[in-house]
Amino acid sequence: MKAHTRVCVIGGGVVGASVLYHLTKLGWSDVLLVERSELTSGSTWHAAGGFHTLNGDTNMCALQGYTIRLYKELEEITGMSCGLHHVGGITLADTPERFDMLKAERAKHRHMGLDTRILGPDEIRDYAPITNTDGILGALYDPLDGHLDPSGTTHAYAKAARMGGAEIYLHTKVEETNQRPDGTWEVVTDKGVIIAEHIVNAGGLWAREVGMMAGVYTPLLPMEHQYIVTDDLPEIYGRDTEHPHVMDPGGESYLRQEGRGLCIGFYEQPCEPWAVDGTPWGFGHELLPDNLDKIEASIEFAYSRFPILERAGVKSVIHGPFTFAPDGNPLVGPVPGKQGYWLACGVMAGFSQGGGVGLMLAQWMVNGETERDVSAMDIARYGKWISPGYTVPKVIENYRNRFSVTYPNEELPVARPCQTTAMYDIFDGMNAVWGQQNGLEVVNYFALDGEARYEVPSFRRSNAWDATALEVRAVREAVGINEVQNFGKYLVRGAAARAWLDRIMAGRIPQVGRLSLTPMLAPSGRLIGDFTVSCLAKDEFQLTGSYGAQEYHHRWFLQHLEDGVSVENISDTRTGFQIAGPNARKLLERVTRANVSAEAFKFLDVKRMSVGLVDCIVQRVSYTGDLGFEIYTSHMGQRALWNALWEAGRDLSLRPFGMRAMMSLRLDKFFGAWLREYSPDYTAAETGLDRFIAFRKDADFIGRAAAEAERATPPARQLCAFEVAANDADVIGYEPVSVGGKVVGYCTSGGYSHFAGKSIALALIPRQMVQEGLKAEIEILGEMRGATLLTTPLFDADGGRMRG
């Protein structure tokens, strides 16, 4: 056994083997994998082996497409068979809402180059004649869907990795992982000790146990999953072609051909978690006892959808555990605060996602960044608040919703509330309709008197419409108040703080008493953050960014930390409110003795002052695009700050507003949002954030060379705004944009401007096409809607009110 290695991958399932292969593919040959038993032990060996591209997250969908296309490459490299069956897949829709979801997914696929299409009931029967289409409105067909041999595929990954120089040690159990003073890792096995620069926890069912060896909590849980293989059926083995997959979300089932019969699996409501307190080390190639009782209702439904099953004998029942994260997506990436420790686990759809997970993790390790945004599977999406008490009920909820319609405005209820601010009970008493961000309860909107305090999930305009419109009007005509807890906030201090920020941030670092807006770039020039930087004192700065990205951003800061600088995440200790609208200054004047006139407190100023009873940091800026102020204080003083503002604003028509109104207000100014317009998928020049890059500053900031190159040669696409002739549904994101009948780009986000009374979409299209009045079409839920390009903001186009 080797004593030293660059990377030690722990776990020999399909994900660990994929990571090992992709590391060698990118040029790292000094890598190895250790497996306590045989390759495929755990979940891989008993997997149904199906693969598909359908995924609500567009980047995950693309990575699933990569995974599926990779299998032929693996076969060519190794000469081994993955047992590929590209039979195509049909996902049924039995309700208008589910059909809306499939039409929305089909629209995304058009700009991604995926060849999917919508089928009617007659076409469904042509592809899958065993399907009873009574009550079926339509389906989505994907020719890439299929299944494979799990064991053969895993061994093909392993052979390809070995061909690239990797080594694999079987029957080698990891007993300890200890970080050494130099940051490397001591991997203690029952066969000896390995010193590794990096560890990849691909432990699958045992990822929790492997993580705890390093003091790392991995939020996942194994769930019992059951599928049935039938005896031979003449309607199946007598076909000229193999029967396609059929996903029946309404029946919580997936079905495919298995040999001369069928395989059907279920995501049943009376589901069962497994090994909640830890996976036994002795478990490996065993199955769980059959439990047909818990899938009885699902089987009965399947009999009506696929009547052939009623007379099909059961050849075998496969009942085994798979791991799930709370949101169903993988847990991948560097663990914040643990140098050299990486996760590649929680991949419940290993044969759809394993290749993409391996590629992204290898790129991250070798290149320092990935080629696309992987926020949906980055472990940093879970902060220090995550616990087993949260994970267990959320995983159960996710399993039950595996085949449920995923709505853009849906707020799942389990394990809520988890984290709240001091304002929770006050806002709750004001009819708040709550959302959740990074574990935090955030107000989406305030229900009107007599209305239900529940937003109906929909792809179309929801029952939040009237309340949101009133909140928007309050901001534009009087003054609105909104909590700023859901901003990520960091305190940067030290003699070298300014120089460090000049290197980390691409924009101008302000002088004392001022703030600036700046993108943060990866070396490739891609966006990894957009921040407000406030200079509070000579050696003290506050950074403000996305609350949901706080662990992601803090990890980046710590990875690049230098002597003479300290960075503290104060997201949950510094909080407060923003006030915005024409009466905002008048309100602030009533609660402070400080001079906040337009002359004394200019746009982008930041000042310390007492507001009501508490000391605050007040910033002259607002994401609403209106006259506004952000007022920060300690979490202990938040209630006192609220009381002062609320009492003083009663005769100014002060009204609280939530995130639904915020997202409408920002459209008036064509402001982008993090992970919509601004993400690692895009560069500053593509999104317009290059206007905030300080190209003249004397600092070699991260990403400068790439940004300079784009300055000299602008990128091919550009972010712009469209007014859309929408009906009862607005753009959500990733809808294709067509000009002259040809897809030329796609939407990043959109919605309804209640101020302007217009449906607005933000989209990336070819730069040469961006001109006022360009006529286009945007596909929304299967309908082509006319769109006109806008270059002038809908509100305060010259910035007079915002800056005044």
Side-chain angles (χ1 to χ4, degrees), residues 646-668:
W646 187 245
E647 289 302 317
R650 287 184 181 275
D651 65 339
L652 297 176
S653 299
L654 179 63
R655 187 185 192 109
F657 66 98
M659 292 306 296
R660 296 286 184 259
M662 179 79 84
M663 289 296 102
S664 176
L665 290 160
R666 61 109 183 179
L667 291 174
D668 299 342

Side-chain angles (χ1 to χ4, degrees), residues 45 47-49 51 81-85 147-155 351:
W45 78 272
F51 53 78
S81 172
C82 293
L84 290 176
H85 296 257
H147 57 276
L148 46 64
D149 170 23
S151 179
T153 300
T154 305
H155 281 87
F351 294 99

Side-chain angles (χ1 to χ4, degrees), residues 84-98:
L84 290 176
H85 296 257
H86 279 288
V87 298
I90 296 168
T91 302
L92 304 176
D94 58 349
T95 65
E97 294 77 16
R98 199 180 306 280

Side-chain angles (χ1 to χ4, degrees), residues 107 110 460-461 722-731 735-739 747 759 761 774-789:
R110 287 184 67 217
R460 300 171 189 270
R461 294 172 184 165
F722 285 93
E723 178 184 343
V724 187
N727 186 11
D728 63 343
D730 302 298
V731 159
E735 294 87 348
V737 179
S738 299
V739 175
C747 299
S759 182
L774 173 73
K775 298 300 181 182
E777 288 186 311
I778 295 175
E779 182 180 347
I780 302 177
L781 301 181
E783 296 182 0
M784 303 303 292
R785 313 300 301 185
T788 303
L789 194 147

Side-chain angles (χ1 to χ4, degrees), residues 588 591-592 609-618 631 640-641 644-645:
L588 185 58
V591 291
T592 184
M609 63 182 71
S610 292
V611 180
L613 303 178
V614 295
D615 290 333
C616 297
I617 295 168
V618 184
I631 309 171
L641 176 60
L645 292 167

Side-chain angles (χ1 to χ4, degrees), residues 454-477:
Y454 173 73
E455 183 176 10
V456 177
S458 177
F459 287 89
R460 300 171 189 270
R461 294 172 184 165
S462 78
N463 60 313
W465 178 272
D466 292 338
T468 300
L470 290 175
E471 291 173 21
V472 167
R473 184 186 302 172
V475 173
R476 291 290 185 244
E477 297 180 359

